[in-house]
Structures are given as structure tokens and as C-alpha cells.
């Protein structure tokens, strides 16, 4: 990096928050998608305010330096991977919860607040922020907004976009705009707020968000678990739940490979019960919740569950879901994990699971499966041994085949992790050329120099 650029940055951000040594540059050069391309950035800038973000973007725009926005770096598609001639602008220090309004049921927060910290803060006011990605303890609200993150309960309660009322956004020229509203309803103008959500930092940098909240109380969580011999039986159970018209608060799938990895790590004894675990929850109170949990238990049994069980308490329900939340970190202990994120129609879940098993055999690679099965969002996890280039190549081929199969079944390339870098070929296959052109038109209108997170989110 030129001394002139560094000097200009130090005028707007304290020098101790501008990192240029090789070690931090390497640490901030990629998110959790190490499979995607990345290079060390020129510098890492740790902003604390919207004004600092704006000033850094203005300097970058005047020097044609690219900006890669970053939260906690927990992304799984390469959306925060540094590119050539770039600054990584991290918002991880922007951790202020600025306002909680119990009467209007919203919270105003900076982008660097962890999802779990936000949920705890609003819970103290009797409120609930539903989006709960599996990384909720370590991922930031800004990152969740950038990818339109989902989570375990999104099958019933929706994804991040459903809770974003307004945003403060720094645009590519450094100007700051406030989008959205603070009211329960509002339809004035184009929905630019929704446009920014899920845009992966390519259209603007979110520094603050106003988020809709729900009442914390009034729900009684009951879990139902079912163990199945194979993925197909479990997939048929998922389809049966959908046919029955039940909308569970969560419906998650964890296969034997994941269960064994969790057992090896935490000694929970889950893998001894069966090959695939389905975890469902309902949160309707009273007799209705009891009725739904019994109905789910019956559906699991009829679909071939070798063992089905209903939780005895909310604490027991949370314990049963622990395996799902531990699955990804448990698998990471086995080697590099290439994480898929396809979504198919719920009725196509059994067929998609069959195809994933076939792909694992075809490419001689280990594929574990976890899934938000209730909405068809599958996360095949492809594991390759360390320092085995041939295995990594086969894993990438399997990754591409899974995307192709999902599209063939009427699905989509990504359900919640974002396109980033890893899913660019899949997006090109999913959308018609004219639709890709529409994306380019929006990008060119808001970022004519192409400096905000270039090469991410849609094919250039």
C-alpha cells in the first residue's frame, strides 16, 4: 500500500485500527470459505462509526481502491474474501445497541452486534428477534443482513429480510442514506431496503439497522425427534409433514456422519440410535401444541422412524436440538469442509437427498448432510482430507453436481449463505441472461466504479 493512501486513512481512522502487518492481513483475507479465491488486502480498517466508514469509502473511491466489507468472517461462500487492490473494512467494532422500543417493537443496532447479543438484549425487554442462523453466537447482524441469513426457525418465522424495517447505508461514493421506516407498515417508493438485504455488500455498506421484534412470551416449545435408517426415509417424513399442512417452528435433519462427529467430540451417544435424525419443534401453547407434537410423532412413526420421542420440557427440547447446532463445528474437526446451501421444493427433498448420496458415491467423497428440511434448504457438507489435492478436486466436482441437481429439481443455488464467490457459476445457470443484466444495471447505477465487494454476488 502506498504511503500516501496510508496517510490519508490515518487522518480519518486512528492508526491503531489500521492493520498492515502480514499476520492480520492473512487472518482477514477470507471468511470461513477458504475454498474460494482470496488474496491479502492492502490493509484492514477497523471502523467504529458510520462517519469513519463513509470517510474510508470516500478515500477508496478517489483512488480506485476496492472495499471488501466484513463482519465476523463467519460466511461460507467467500463473500468477505479479499480481492486484489482492496481494503478490508471490518465493522466488528460497531457493537452498539442504540435503541430498544418495546411499544413499537423494534430495535436499532449497529452492524457489528452479534446476533446472540442482540437477542439477549431485547429479551430483557420481553421481546424476541427470531432469525437464528446456526452461527448466531458468533455472526453479526450486519453479516446476517448482507446474506439475508435464515436459521432453524425460519420455516415458520421467516428470514432476516422479514425483520428489517430500515437501514443506514454507506454508498459507493461515501454518501450516507437512511432507508426504510420505523412504522409497522409503509409502501412509499421502491423497496430499497429489501434490495440492500442479501446484496452481500456489493451495493452499499450497512452500518445500522432497525429491526422488527416479536413478543418473547406466548410460545411453548415442544420438540419431536425421529431416527431413521436412511436419508430417503427421513426425506419422506419431511414431505409428509408438509402434506399434513403443519408448519413447525423448526424441522431439521442431521445424518449419521454428523451424529458420529458430534458424538466423537461431545460424547452424546446420538449415533447409536439410527442413521438419520429429524428434529422438529412446535411452539403453539397449550392443547394445540400438544396436539401438533403428537401428530408429528405419528407422522415420523408412519414414515418409518425406528425411534420417535417427544420432549418433556422446553429445556429438553433445547437439549435435543444441540446436535444440530454442533454439527458444523464437529465436522470441521475432521478436515476442510466445503459447505453447500441449496434449496429445493419441500416435496423434492427425498429426491434431492437421494441425488446427494449418489453424488458422494460417484465422486468418491464424504458428504455429510444437515438441513433446514422444513423449507427444503439443504446443507451437504463435503469433507476432504488435508493436503489431498485430488480429494479437493473431487469435492469441488461434487459441489457443482449438487447445485446442478438442485436447479434441475426446481430449486435455487443458495438458500441463505449467499452467492459470494463459490456460487457464481450456479447463479449464472439459475438466471436467464436478461435477469443477470438487470443485476448488472442495479450494480452499475449504485457503484459505477465497481469498487464495493467486486466479483461477488452475481457474475461480472
Amino acid at each position: 500500500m502506498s504511503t500516501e493512501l496510508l496517510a490519508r486513512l490515518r487522518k480519518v481512522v486512528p492508526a491503531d485500527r489500521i492493520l498492515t502487518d502480514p499476520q492480520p492481513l492473512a487472518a482477514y483475507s477470507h471468511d470461513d470459505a477458504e475454498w474460494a479465491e482470496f488474496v491479502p488486502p492492502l490493509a484492514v480498517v477497523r471502523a467504529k462509526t458510520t462517519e469513519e466508514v463513509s470517510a474510508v469509502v470516500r478515500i477508496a473511491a478517489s483512488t480506485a481502491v476496492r472495499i471488501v466489507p466484513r463482519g465476523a468472517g463467519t460466511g461460507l461462500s467467500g463473500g468477505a474474501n479479499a480481492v486484489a487492490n482492496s481494503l478490508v473494512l471490518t465493522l466488528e467494532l460497531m457493537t452498539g445497541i442504540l435503541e430498544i422500543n418495546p411499544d413499537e417493537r423494534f430495535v436499532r443496532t449497529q452492524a457489528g452486534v452479534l446476533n446472540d447479543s442482540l437477542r439477549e438484549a431485547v429479551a430483557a425487554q420481553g421481546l424476541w428477534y427470531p432469525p437464528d442462523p446456526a452461527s448466531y453466537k458468533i455472526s453479526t447482524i450486519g453479516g446476517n443482513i448482507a446474506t439475508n441469513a435464515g436459521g432453524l426457525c425460519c420455516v415458520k418465522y421467516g428470514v432476516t429480510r422479514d425483520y428489517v424495517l430500515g437501514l443506514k447505508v454507506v454508498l459507493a461514493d461515501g454518501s450516507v442514506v437512511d432507508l426504510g421506516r420505523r412504522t409497522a407498515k409503509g409502501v412509499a417508493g421502491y423497496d430499497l431496503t429489501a434490495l440492500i438485504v442479501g446484496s452481500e455488500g456489493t451495493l452499499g455498506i450497512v452500518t445500522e439497522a432497525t429491526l422488527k421484534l416479536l413478543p418473547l412470551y406466548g410460545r411453548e416449545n415442544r420438540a419431536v425427534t425421529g431416527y431413521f435408517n436412511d436419508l430417503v426415509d427421513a426425506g419422506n417424513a419431511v414431505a409428509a409433514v408438509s402434506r399434513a399442512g403443519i408448519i413447525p417452528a423448526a424441522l431439521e435433519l442431521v445424518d449419521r456422519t454428523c451424529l458420529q462427529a458430534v458424538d466423537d467430540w461431545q460424547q452424546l451417544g446420538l449415533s447409536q440410535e439410527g442413521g438419520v435424525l429429524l428434529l422438529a419443534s412446535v411452539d403453539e401453547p397449550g392443547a394445540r401444541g400438544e396436539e401438533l407434537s403428537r401428530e408429528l410423532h405419528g407422522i415420523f412413526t408412519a414414515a418409518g422412524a425406528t425411534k420417535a420421542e417427544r420432549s418433556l420440557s422446553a429445556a429438553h427440547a433445547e437439549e435435543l436440538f444441540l446436535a444440530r447446532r454442533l454439527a458444523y463445528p464437529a465436522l470441521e474437526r475432521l478436515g476442510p469442509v466445503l459447505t453447500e446451501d441449496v434449496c429445493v421444493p419441500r416435496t423434492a427433498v427425498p429426491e434431492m437427498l437421494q441425488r446427494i448420496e449418489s453424488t458422494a458415491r460417484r465422486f468418491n467423497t464424504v458428504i455429510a448432510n444437515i438441513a433446514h428440511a422444513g423449507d427444503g434448504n439443504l446443507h451437504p457438507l463435503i469433507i476432504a482430507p488435508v493436503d489431498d489435492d485430488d480429494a479437493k478436486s473431487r469435492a469441488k466436482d461434487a459441489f457443482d453436481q449438487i447445485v446442478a441437481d438442485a436447479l434441475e429439481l426446481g430449486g435455487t443455488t443458495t438458500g441463505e449463505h449467499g452467492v459470494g464467490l463459490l456460487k457464481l457459476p450456479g447463479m449464472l445457470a439459475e438466471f436467464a441472461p436478461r435477469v443477470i443484466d438487470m443485476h448488472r444495471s442495479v450494480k452499475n447505477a449504485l457503484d459505477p466504479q465497481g469498487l464495493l465487494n467486486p466479483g461477488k454476488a452475481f457474475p461480472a
Side-chain angles (χ1 to χ4, degrees), residues 354-373:
Q354 267 190 316
R355 293 193 183 199
I356 292 168
E357 287 192 314
S358 175
T359 294
R361 292 190 297 269
R362 176 184 171 189
F363 293 101
N364 188 27
T365 188
V366 176
I367 303 180
N369 285 278
I370 55 177
H372 306 306

Side-chain angles (χ1 to χ4, degrees), residues 10-223:
R10 285 175 173 170
K11 288 181 179 179
V12 298
V13 177
D16 63 345
R17 288 196 274 114
I18 301 173
L19 312 178
T20 58
D21 291 337
Q23 186 173 356
L25 294 187
Y28 282 87
S29 63
H30 59 83
D31 58 22
D32 279 348
E34 295 183 56
W35 293 72
E37 295 181 358
F38 60 88
V39 297
L42 301 174
V44 175
V45 181
R46 306 177 80 204
K48 279 191 172 182
T49 66
T50 297
E51 292 73 24
E52 288 182 351
V53 173
S54 172
V56 171
V57 172
R58 288 183 190 277
I59 291 170
S62 70
T63 56
V65 169
R66 299 154 159 190
I67 295 283
V68 177
R70 177 186 169 101
T74 60
L76 295 168
S77 63
N81 285 18
V83 298
N85 192 40
S86 72
L87 299 173
V88 168
L89 181 54
T90 173
L91 281 63
E92 64 190 317
L93 300 182
M94 298 183 67
T95 58
I97 296 176
L98 307 175
E99 178 184 4
I100 300 175
N101 190 319
D103 294 328
E104 298 296 333
R105 293 207 293 266
F106 70 75
V107 59
R108 190 163 58 89
T109 178
Q110 288 187 306
V113 173
L114 296 181
N115 182 295
D116 194 40
S117 299
L118 181 83
R119 290 159 66 91
E120 287 185 0
V122 302
Q125 301 284 335
L127 298 166
W128 179 42
Y129 178 65
D132 64 339
S135 61
Y136 74 101
K137 286 185 178 293
I138 56 174
S139 62
T140 65
I141 291 296
N144 293 172
I145 291 169
T147 60
N148 192 23
L152 274 63
C153 71
C154 63
V155 59
K156 180 174 182 178
Y157 290 101
V159 296
T160 298
R161 180 180 283 120
D162 299 310
Y163 295 88
V164 178
L165 294 173
L167 298 171
K168 187 179 289 291
V169 183
V170 176
L171 299 178
D173 61 0
S175 59
V176 181
V177 295
D178 288 297
L179 304 176
R181 63 190 195 278
R182 296 160 66 99
T183 54
K185 295 171 64 178
V187 294
Y190 298 135
D191 194 349
L192 299 178
T193 306
L195 177 65
I196 294 296
V197 178
S199 65
E200 303 184 47
T202 61
L203 303 180
I205 302 173
V206 173
T207 60
E208 294 180 17
T210 301
L211 305 171
K212 178 174 69 173
L213 304 172
L214 298 180
L216 178 62
Y217 305 107
R219 300 184 318 281
E220 296 177 15
N221 193 30
R222 295 173 172 85

Side-chain angles (χ1 to χ4, degrees), residues 220-223 246-250 280-284 289 292-293 296:
E220 296 177 15
N221 193 30
R222 295 173 172 85
I246 298 174
I247 303 177
S281 72
V282 293
D283 59 2
E284 283 80 0
L292 286 173
S293 70
L296 284 170

Side-chain angles (χ1 to χ4, degrees), residues 323-360:
R324 169 61 179 86
R325 296 196 183 277
L326 291 175
Y328 186 80
L331 288 167
E332 282 190 309
R333 299 171 73 247
L334 304 180
V337 178
L338 181 55
T339 306
E340 267 287 11
D341 173 42
V342 294
C343 193
V344 298
R346 286 183 287 267
T347 53
V349 167
E351 172 67 18
M352 188 64 210
L353 290 171
Q354 267 190 316
R355 293 193 183 199
I356 292 168
E357 287 192 314
S358 175
T359 294

